[in-house]
């Protein structure tokens, strides 16, 4: 990871002056990944730059994927309005690129945020659609995440018994798929 950081910094220094945007986005990604591997997540702050580059380049799929990642961080940082915008935009970008699976992941993350905000009707709609796509695409682990968020809806609505039953089913499935 340390060698990758040095290489990424060199790539950034060479790509910036000639505006080699795609190389720059790749270097930012490598830099962030390396910092994460080294346990220095506070230094992994370049995903937004990569998102902006992919947006400028018109690469909807990559913009969607990076928007999804930046949205997850915004949610974790308590910036829920920003996270909501990023997840919605990421979903739209991925759909425009024909990437239904990552669009569904963005939908699942958006649904999680909606549950946290107490917007349960909208959360259930978004999460049910995401779950359907993820199940049909054999993305079991991510489908289970959508199921957990739907279970949170049950709990928020006061259906503790239904939530417990759903959680037991989710846990059994998670164990069966490893």
């Amino acid at each position: 990871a340390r060698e990758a950081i040095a290489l990424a910094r060199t790539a950034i220094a060479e790509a910036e002056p000639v505006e080699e945007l795609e190389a720059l986005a790749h270097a930012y990604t490598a830099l962030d990944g390396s910092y994460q591997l080294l346990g220095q997540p506070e230094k992994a702050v370049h995903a937004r730059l990569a998102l902006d580059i992919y947006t400028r380049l018109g690469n909807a799929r990559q913009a969607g994927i990076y928007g999804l990642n930046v949205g997850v961080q915004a949610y974790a940082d308590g910036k829920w309005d920003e996270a909501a915008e990023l997840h919605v935009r990421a979903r739209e970008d991925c759909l425009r690129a024909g990437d239904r699976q990552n669009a569904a992941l963005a939908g699942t993350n958006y649904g999680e945020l909606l549950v946290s905000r107490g917007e349960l009707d909208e959360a259930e709609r978004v999460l049910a659609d995401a779950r359907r796509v993820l199940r049909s695409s054999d993305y079991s682990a991510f489908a289970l995440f959508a199921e957990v968020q739907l279970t949170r809806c049950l709990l928020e609505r006061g259906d503790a018994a239904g939530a417990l039953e759903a959680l037991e089913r989710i846990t059994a499935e998670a164990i069966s798929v490893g």
Side-chain angles (χ1 to χ4, degrees), residues 111-169:
E112 176 187 29
L113 186 147
L114 291 169
V115 175
S116 295
R117 284 185 166 170
E119 299 175 33
L120 303 181
D121 292 339
E122 179 67 5
E124 287 172 334
R125 186 191 64 73
V126 169
L127 290 164
D129 182 59
R131 175 186 57 193
R132 179 186 54 76
V133 171
L134 294 167
R135 289 248 179 238
S136 69
S137 302
D138 202 26
Y139 278 54
S140 299
F142 296 111
L144 289 172
F145 182 69
E147 295 278 357
V148 168
Q149 300 313 310
L150 286 163
T151 301
R152 287 180 60 213
C153 288
L154 290 172
L155 196 56
E156 289 295 318
R157 293 188 188 281
D159 185 359
L164 179 59
E165 181 182 314
L167 189 56
E168 288 171 345
R169 182 179 34 77

Side-chain angles (χ1 to χ4, degrees), residues 9 12 16 24-25 27-33 35 41-53 66 70:
R9 286 187 178 149
I12 291 167
E16 280 180 337
L24 198 53
Y28 288 144
T29 302
L31 194 57
D32 278 6
Y35 283 131
E42 70 282 356
K43 293 183 179 180
V45 296
H46 303 89
R48 170 66 81 170
L49 297 171
L51 169 59
D52 293 342
I53 288 170
Y66 279 85
V70 174

